[in-house]
Amino acid sequence: MNISIVGVGHVGLVTAAVLADYGHTVMGLDDDAAKLEALRSGDVPFFEPGLQELVDRVTADGSLAFTGDLARAVDHAEVVFVCVGTPGLPGGGPDLRFIERVAVEVAQHATRDVVLVEKSTVPANTGARLTQVIEREQQRRGSDAAAVHVASNPEFLREGVAVKDTAEPDRIVYGTASDLARERLREVYAPMVAAVGCPVVETDVPTAELIKHASNAFLATRLSFINAVANVCDKVGADIELVAQGMGHDARIGHAFLQAGIGYGGSCFPKDVDAFLHLSRSVGYDFGLLDEVRQINAGQRQVVLDKLRDELWHLTDKTIAILGAAFKPGTDDLREAPAIYLAEALLEEGVTVRMYDPVALGGVATALPDVKLFDDPLVACRGAHAVVIATEWEQIRSLDLSELKAALGYPIVIDGRNCLDGRAAMDAGLHYHGIGRGHLRS
Ligand code: UGA
């Protein structure tokens, strides 16, 4: 099929490359000239394992090309996926200007039937709004207007494993309001379904939108739940990992997403929880559970600060090393990263903050110029009053504990990701604190 992808950021570029690899002819559109220039000269402008090789392959065989010209992208396509950003607004809802503009422009330029698919994460009812916007534009255009069929096809990829998640999804969900849209989306995904055998959930448009909201909100709730349990484990001398294991063996609960720690970050969960809460309130239902989910998540950073204060009394004029900046391993993404919040809070208290990350230091230099950056974790720890682990990179998990002890000024470790062997750390003479590893102190 001929497909266009509007917005070649993380979701858009991965989707474009994977669909091209499944045999479609894909055009990626973006209005960011620098990004387009990079892509045209063969560079993927962000870090995502395996994506550069995939983009190289599908651009070399001509199945993926890039343009800055929307009319050309619309002219090319039977299906247009919209993957533009929906950044959060101060009031909690997402900024939908970009997605609205794309719908208007597609309606202006369409010369034959086209399916317009929302892939950006948007509030349930965006499909209805887009249809309204498109109808207005078509009325303005008059009789030469072509039909634009709105559909929703949420994505469930995780950064860091985005190529695999997209090429071999657990499930495909799309919501449509016409036979033509449903048939075309079946055709888009037919090669993937044949290769992977994943289930397909076909729905109407608002139901597909709700599936995305509910999935991310549920996962975030799971994380805040396990983090709250971890905080109790700390107080009663229990071991959160064994608690999670014991719970996870119940087939109704399962093991995934029960890793307690410093809290979730990234461009999705924080924004999506806010957006779902905002949406539910705007339609007259107060989904207060989600308020609690956000508060527990923000509180996890405070848990780390409290543990530092327990060990060091006040923090002013102390030196703290933070190992890991990215919101999780496998990405250089710093959006809503717990490490960044923590560094900001420490800087505000007059702490000298040192930071190590294998790939994300460039972004830290821009976001927090006062943080001292190190490309070696042990050098970052040298002489520090304490170290906090904020991202469980392999380079950090595999640190030699005696070398870590020797490097630190005071042997204090707050493991915000429970990624070190706590018992071994204590045997090596470190004052080790995990999250919910109260059993180590009892
Ligand atoms: C998340 C969802 O997992 C994807 O399914 C979804 O498509 C995506 O948001 C999106 O809406 O675009 P992502 O933000 O890339 O993906 O990252 P995750 O791997 O889900 O991790 C999110 C955060 O939760 C990270 O900060 C991670 O450290 C934390 N986490 C995850 C935990 O603290 N414990 C866990 O057990 C798992």
Side-chain angles (χ1 to χ4, degrees), residues 338-379:
I340 298 296
Y341 278 109
L342 194 64
E344 277 171 347
L346 291 172
L347 287 171
E348 240 169 65
E349 279 195 51
V351 172
T352 301
V353 179
R354 301 159 143 231
M355 220 172 210
Y356 158 81
D357 191 283
V359 297
L361 290 184
V364 180
T366 316
L368 295 174
D370 292 336
V371 170
K372 303 194 180 340
L373 308 177
F374 295 83
D375 56 13
D376 180 320
L378 289 176
V379 179

Side-chain angles (χ1 to χ4, degrees), residues 155-157 159 212 216 257 259 265 268 327-328 417:
E155 59 79 25
F156 303 103
L157 65 83
E159 287 184 30
K212 174 68 187 186
N216 273 5
F257 261 70
Q259 176 67 47
C268 303
F327 81 97
K328 64 173 187 177
R417 296 295 185 177

